[in-house]
Every structure is written in structure tokens, then in C-alpha cells.
Amino acid sequence: MNLVLLGAPGAGKGTLAKRLMEMYSIPQISTGDILRAAVKEGTDIGKKAEEYMKRGDLVPDEVILGIMEERLQKKDCANGFILDGFPRTIPQAEALDKLLVRISKKLDMALNLEVPESVLIQRLAGRRTCSNPDCQAIFNVSFKPPKVEGKCDICGNPVVQRDDETEEAVKHRLKTYNEKTAPLIDYYSGKGLLKNPGATETEEIVVYLKKILK
Ligand code: AP5
């Protein structure tokens, strides 16, 4: 299954992707996670991306496309992939279409996670992420707190708040989403690939997916 997850910041893309990764044994490819790791390691890509990310702006398309071209050709994508946070703009979606033709793959579905803005803000304010780059489990102080405060349930490393989670950056990310990413809903609808689960809870979306994939 080759899947794109669409949805605003905080819609639950990362949480759902991790669940689907376990269920279908296919990788979650999160451009946000890849970029955050590059910033932490201080690579050239990380240096280019850091300021955009802190402001809540999109990183330039050419940086992202270079990352994805390499990532989608890795062996672990042979049986499918879950794209989380990519594509983010119409030019990225068009470039993805061309790349998939070149590497003889095709998308099966674009799953749109629709969550009211007030809930998005609440979720993002409470999100905590495991600081271990190999784990990156996602928690929420209100909805899914770690069993031991401040520590990841899975690997025991500290859970932290992301740099782009200031109120100002969150508002800017939502504005950027509405301007640049929301048009992808029509783009994939036009291709007959869009699915709307009509639910906001991760487990309800899992049930919906199981039903349509039968
Ligand atoms: P990225 O990391 O992709 O961030 P995002 O899209 O803004 O999405 P988030 O990770 O904030 O939210 P999510 O939908 O995954 O929600 P989550 O599951 O964590 O990108 C960060 C930055 O990188 C961008 O701003 C940009 O600068 C750059 N970038 C990345 N990709 C790019 C691209 N392609 N092009 C250009 N730039 C790019 O859930 C959120 C919270 O809600 C958690 O606390 C979770 O526990 C909770 N939660 C989740 N689901 C539920 C539920 N069902 N019920 C209750 N709580 C829930």
C-alpha cells in the first residue's frame, strides 16, 4: 500500500502513521522527522531547513524533493510506504507523480484527516515527542500522557516539546497549511485518490481503513 496522509499540523498524521506502520509493516516517511534529525545533526540540509522550520514556514521544495527522491528508492519501500507531511504543495505533488512514474510505483490513496482548528491547537500545545531519534513516539499531556511523567513509555528517554510549538509558530503553520497544503485535497480528489474517513480518533480511522482495504 502506497499512502499519502493529508491533514493540518496536529491532525494526527504522525500518530496514525506509526499505528499503520506496525499493522502493515511498511515505513512511515515523515519529512518533518527527517528534517528535525538533519537539524540536530547539523547537516547541510539541516542548516538550510532550520530557520524555515522555527518560523513555521515550509522548507523550499527543492530541498524536500532531493530527500524524497533518495528515500523512496530505499529497499524498505518495496512493499509500500506511508507519506507523512509530504507532499505539502502542488509543485511537490506534481514532482511526486513524476518521481513515482520514474521508479515504477503508484499511489493507492490520499487519506485526508480533518480536525477542527480549536482541537488542533489543543493537541499541539499538549504534544510531547520522544527525544530519541530512533523512537520519536508521540504523547499528549491531556489525551495520552506518558506513564512516567517526562519519560517515553517505549524507550525511557525524555519526552520533549518541539521547537516549532510556540503559539506564534503554530498559528503560522496553520496559516501556511490553509494556503499551501489544503489545495492538495482537490488535487487528489481530481485523481480519484482521496478518502475522507470522517473521524478524528486514530482508532476510528484504523477501523475505516481496514474496511476499505478488505
Ligand atoms: P511536520 O513534522 O510534518 O509537522 P506537521 O505537518 O505540522 O504535523 P505535526 O507533526 O505537527 O502533526 P501531526 O498531524 O503528525 O500530529 P501528531 O500525530 O503529532 O513538519 C514540521 C515542519 O517541517 C514544517 O512546518 C516545515 O517547516 C517542515 N516540512 C516538513 N515537511 C515538509 C515538506 N514536505 N515541504 C516543506 N517543508 C516541510 O498529533 C498531534 C498531537 O495530537 C499529539 O500530541 C498526539 O498525541 C495527539 N493526537 C493525535 N491523534 C489524536 C487523536 N486521534 N485524538 C487525540 N489526540 C490525538
Side-chain angles (χ1 to χ4, degrees):
M1 176 175 59
N2 299 332
L3 176 69
V4 167
L5 296 183
L6 293 176
K13 303 180 295 293
T15 303
L16 178 67
K18 286 186 172 58
R19 184 79 170 78
L20 299 179
M21 190 168 71
E22 286 163 16
M23 283 168 58
Y24 296 106
S25 301
I26 53 175
Q28 168 200 16
I29 303 178
S30 158
T31 37
D33 287 350
I34 294 171
L35 291 169
R36 278 185 289 279
V39 169
K40 208 169 172 193
E41 286 164 23
T43 64
D44 285 350
I45 287 179
K47 283 179 196 148
K48 277 185 203 153
E50 190 168 12
E51 286 311 310
Y52 293 97
M53 294 177 78
K54 269 199 185 146
R55 286 197 301 266
D57 275 331
L58 293 181
V59 172
D61 287 345
E62 63 272 17
V63 175
I64 301 293
L65 292 171
I67 294 173
M68 292 311 289
E69 170 121 32
E70 197 185 314
R71 183 63 188 89
L72 283 173
Q73 295 186 71
K74 291 207 170 155
K75 268 196 197 138
D76 64 344
C77 294
N79 295 325
F81 49 76
I82 305 157
L83 298 182
D84 163 9
F86 174 85
R88 260 316 213 277
T89 60
I90 297 282
Q92 286 186 16
E94 290 168 347
L96 174 65
D97 288 344
K98 287 187 193 140
L99 170 62
L100 291 176
V101 170
R102 269 204 319 278
I103 62 177
S104 307
K105 291 183 192 287
K106 68 175 187 54
L107 283 182
D108 297 309
M109 191 192 308
L111 191 68
N112 183 30
L113 310 187
E114 250 180 307
V115 176
E117 193 157 311
S118 57
V119 179
L120 295 174
I121 291 171
Q122 200 186 1
R123 284 187 184 180
L124 289 171
R127 175 169 56 191
R128 300 292 181 273
T129 309
C130 175
S131 56
N132 170 3
D134 295 328
C135 177
Q136 305 203 34
I138 300 167
F139 300 91
N140 192 291
V141 291
S142 312
F143 312 115
K144 191 192 167 201
K147 290 189 186 105
V148 178
E149 201 186 321
K151 285 204 171 161
C152 175
D153 291 355
I154 300 166
C155 69
N157 277 285
V159 295
V160 293
Q161 196 160 21
R162 276 171 29 182
D163 283 350
D164 60 358
E165 249 142 28
T166 60
E167 201 184 323
E168 201 185 347
V170 165
K171 282 193 183 144
H172 193 61
R173 279 161 62 203
L174 290 171
K175 185 169 172 273
T176 306
Y177 168 80
N178 287 323
E179 285 170 11
K180 305 244 171 85
T181 309
L184 291 178
I185 296 171
D186 282 347
Y187 180 86
Y188 284 116
S189 173
K191 289 181 176 286
L193 290 173
L194 192 78
K195 298 282 177 204
N196 279 305
T200 57
E201 291 308 312
T202 309
E203 288 314 310
E204 285 171 16
I205 300 169
V206 167
V207 170
Y208 167 88
L209 263 181
K210 280 185 181 163
K211 214 185 271 173
I212 62 169
L213 290 173
K214 247 187 200 160

